[in-house]
Amino acid sequence: MNGKTTKRLKSQRGIAMMVALLALLLLAAIGMGLMFMADTENSVNNNYRDSQKAYFAARAGAENVRLLLANGGSLNASATNLTMPSSVVNTGMIYVKNPTSGEAIDPTTAGGTTLTANPYLDDQLCWEKYTGLATLTPAPTVGPCSGTQLMSTSTAYSAPTMNSTDVPNTNGSAALAFKWVRITNKQNLIGPYGQTVNGSTPSAAVNGLQVCWNGKQEVAIAAGSSCAAQVPQQMTPVWELTSLAVTPKIGQNPGSRRFVQMEVALAPPINPPGAVAAQAPITMKGNLTVNGYDNCSCTSTNTSRPGKTCDGSHLAVYSANSVSQNGGPSETLSSGVGNGFTTYNPDGTVKTQGATAQNQPWPYDVNQMIADYKVTAQNAATTSPWNFSCNGSSCADAQNQNFGSYPTGLPSAPVFPTGAAPATVYIPGSIKLTGNGTSGSGILIIDGDLEINGGLAFYGLILVKGKITFSGGGSQPVNLYGAILAGEDVNAQDVAVFDNIGGSFDFHYDTCALSLISNSGPPKLLATHEIMY
């Protein structure tokens, strides 16, 4: 080895160490990057899981309150009596709170003016744009309410005391993560997008009107009125349930805050426009009596019962198709329509016909009504749900059935008759009822065709999916107090469906009998969505 080579090798001493250090530095950077990526993904997953927990907790809160709004539920009476929200009289909102042990929940600024100080702040209310809460005006752009848009005190709402029977585990360590559910009546033109329920142009005339449910669609009613006072169909309030869930902060996880909103309404009372109302054509024959005067308020001479005003605004027979009278003088059909009483079509127009009306609007969804009411049905003889003996869509002939207890004190009692034990009975197919001993009260649901051959004594509503055929009549002076509501058999093809009313039957309209009908299930879910901004 010559001197030049030796000198060159000596000048390269230490290069291997520098390369090794650079390699270690690069590997360390890659390792740290992988660790950071893994930690970020874990954080994302944790945040997503926490957010989902908050979302489903908010859903659970709304569903829980929805159950409490059922007829007989602990919140039904207070929600039914709700006014539209108002800053003047400080009414119109109910907050159902769900604290853990020792936790204080206040949706107003009294609990803190920022989400950091008060994570339970209701920073969504201003976007409902309630005309009675004019001071809570939202900002021009969508976003949480702030400043003067927030409630300042708790005098604007009520907060009923809940217990573990109403809300599971409330005031305990195992309470769900939803913190409150706000109950309000829905108003026309609500939310940030300026939409009305009937598609009308937003204006002072339609903004702020209460929204009711008629069993088929949402309707904005006139100012100063109520859902229960609507004609011809009583309605029920549409309740808006706004649920807030907040999950706790754990370590570096800041917790999540989610809003869910539902629109719910109870099924409205069923008050058909006539003692017999059908979607299909109606053929009447025989020694038939149908009286449209309301037996609940009118005596047998069609004068007012004590303390009441005789109501003759309902027809004897009402059809969305034709009405044929083949019985001649033996048919007695009576109503007050055209005799000083004002009555209405289901679409709200004034009716001018007499005892019968044909080719009329048909607002009823009989299939949906059956679906809504059958969930609380039972067979009166066995108390087992929907336990009527049937084979497929056809049920065996049945004699002398008892569908609840028929009341005493009819027909001349001036007050609500006593002794009625109403039942909701569901028969899952077509049936023929025979004999002179069939009786009951409440609602009789026939998910098919109904034929009655013989006697009948019923106090309430007979709801039939398909066609109805009555023959005979038996010895009962009046066979039905209440009403019959029948839809057209949806399975019939290329065959005209007629509802035949004949024999010696006597039907008498009675709103007292119809008021016995109640749906004990939770309110119907009309819409649901998550509020995000």
Side-chain angles (χ1 to χ4, degrees), residues 201-227:
T201 302
S203 66
V206 300
N207 299 354
L209 299 179
Q210 184 176 358
V211 176
C212 305
W213 175 248
N214 67 4
K216 192 173 183 179
Q217 63 186 14
E218 296 184 8
V219 179
I221 63 173
S225 185
S226 68
C227 298

Side-chain angles (χ1 to χ4, degrees), residues 23 49 53 66 87 98 100 108 118 124 140 149 211 223 245 250 281 303 323 333 370 452 465 518:
R49 181 181 61 186
K53 287 171 62 178
R66 178 184 167 214
S87 298
N98 183 42
T100 58
T108 73
N118 181 11
Q124 189 275 333
Q149 305 163 7
V211 176
I250 301 176
T303 58
V323 176
L333 309 178
I370 290 175
I452 294 183
K465 173 184 178 180
S518 64

Side-chain angles (χ1 to χ4, degrees), residues 446-469:
I446 312 296
D447 207 348
D449 299 334
L450 171 65
E451 180 179 353
I452 294 183
N453 189 339
L456 171 70
F458 196 80
Y459 188 76
L461 176 72
I462 298 178
L463 180 62
V464 183
K465 173 184 178 180
K467 64 181 180 180
I468 52 178
T469 302

Side-chain angles (χ1 to χ4, degrees), residues 392-439:
S393 61
S394 179
C395 304
D397 294 356
Q399 291 186 341
N400 304 327
Q401 295 295 307
N402 292 317
F403 304 124
S405 298
Y406 190 76
T408 58
L410 290 173
S412 59
V415 296
F416 194 85
T418 60
T424 300
V425 180
Y426 173 66
I427 300 178
S430 299
I431 192 168
K432 180 178 181 180
L433 299 175
T434 62
N436 291 325
T438 298
S439 66

Side-chain angles (χ1 to χ4, degrees), residues 85-297:
S86 170
S87 298
V88 178
V89 294
N90 293 326
T91 58
M93 291 182 287
I94 298 173
Y95 280 83
V96 180
K97 300 179 181 180
N98 183 42
T100 58
S101 180
E103 185 178 34
I105 294 176
D106 191 341
T108 73
T109 56
T113 59
T114 66
L115 292 183
T116 301
N118 181 11
Y120 314 132
L121 194 65
D122 189 350
D123 60 345
Q124 189 275 333
L125 176 61
C126 74
W127 280 108
E128 305 302 340
K129 297 182 180 178
Y130 282 108
T131 56
L133 302 177
T135 56
L136 307 183
T137 305
T141 57
V142 176
C145 310
S146 62
T148 58
Q149 305 163 7
L150 301 169
M151 283 191 297
S152 59
T153 67
S154 61
T155 57
Y157 67 86
S158 63
T161 301
M162 297 288 107
N163 53 43
S164 58
T165 303
D166 296 318
V167 181
N169 301 314
T170 191
N171 290 307
S173 58
L176 290 174
F178 80 89
K179 296 306 174 184
W180 51 254
V181 177
R182 180 190 349 115
I183 308 172
T184 52
N185 289 326
K186 183 179 178 180
Q187 74 167 19
N188 204 25
L189 190 69
I190 201 168
Y193 300 110
Q195 301 295 313
T196 59
V197 297
N198 57 4
S200 60
T201 302
S203 66
V206 300
N207 299 354
L209 299 179
Q210 184 176 358
V211 176
C212 305
W213 175 248
N214 67 4
K216 192 173 183 179
Q217 63 186 14
E218 296 184 8
V219 179
I221 63 173
S225 185
S226 68
C227 298
Q230 299 308 298
V231 291
Q233 173 65 54
Q234 294 183 45
M235 302 184 195
T236 55
V238 175
W239 290 313
E240 190 173 63
L241 311 182
T242 305
S243 178
L244 170 70
V246 179
T247 57
K249 178 180 179 180
I250 301 176
Q252 297 300 313
N253 189 339
S256 294
R257 196 170 185 270
R258 303 284 288 271
F259 278 106
V260 166
Q261 201 164 66
M262 289 182 176
E263 294 177 14
V264 303
L266 291 167
I270 302 176
N271 290 308
V276 177
Q279 185 177 8
I282 296 177
T283 299
M284 295 178 293
K285 54 188 176 182
N287 185 21
L288 181 67
T289 301
V290 185
N291 193 337
Y293 283 91
D294 184 5
N295 181 70
C296 188
S297 61

Side-chain angles (χ1 to χ4, degrees), residues 286-353:
N287 185 21
L288 181 67
T289 301
V290 185
N291 193 337
Y293 283 91
D294 184 5
N295 181 70
C296 188
S297 61
C298 305
T299 67
S300 58
T301 58
N302 296 329
T303 58
S304 297
R305 292 193 184 279
K308 298 186 178 184
T309 301
C310 181
D311 179 9
S313 63
H314 299 92
L315 292 159
V317 177
Y318 179 100
S319 175
N321 280 278
S322 61
V323 176
S324 301
Q325 296 178 244
N326 299 331
S330 62
E331 293 177 7
T332 302
L333 309 178
S334 57
S335 80
V337 180
N339 298 320
F341 291 89
T342 301
T343 190
Y344 301 84
N345 293 311
D347 62 357
T349 58
V350 176
K351 190 184 301 298
T352 59
Q353 291 127 317

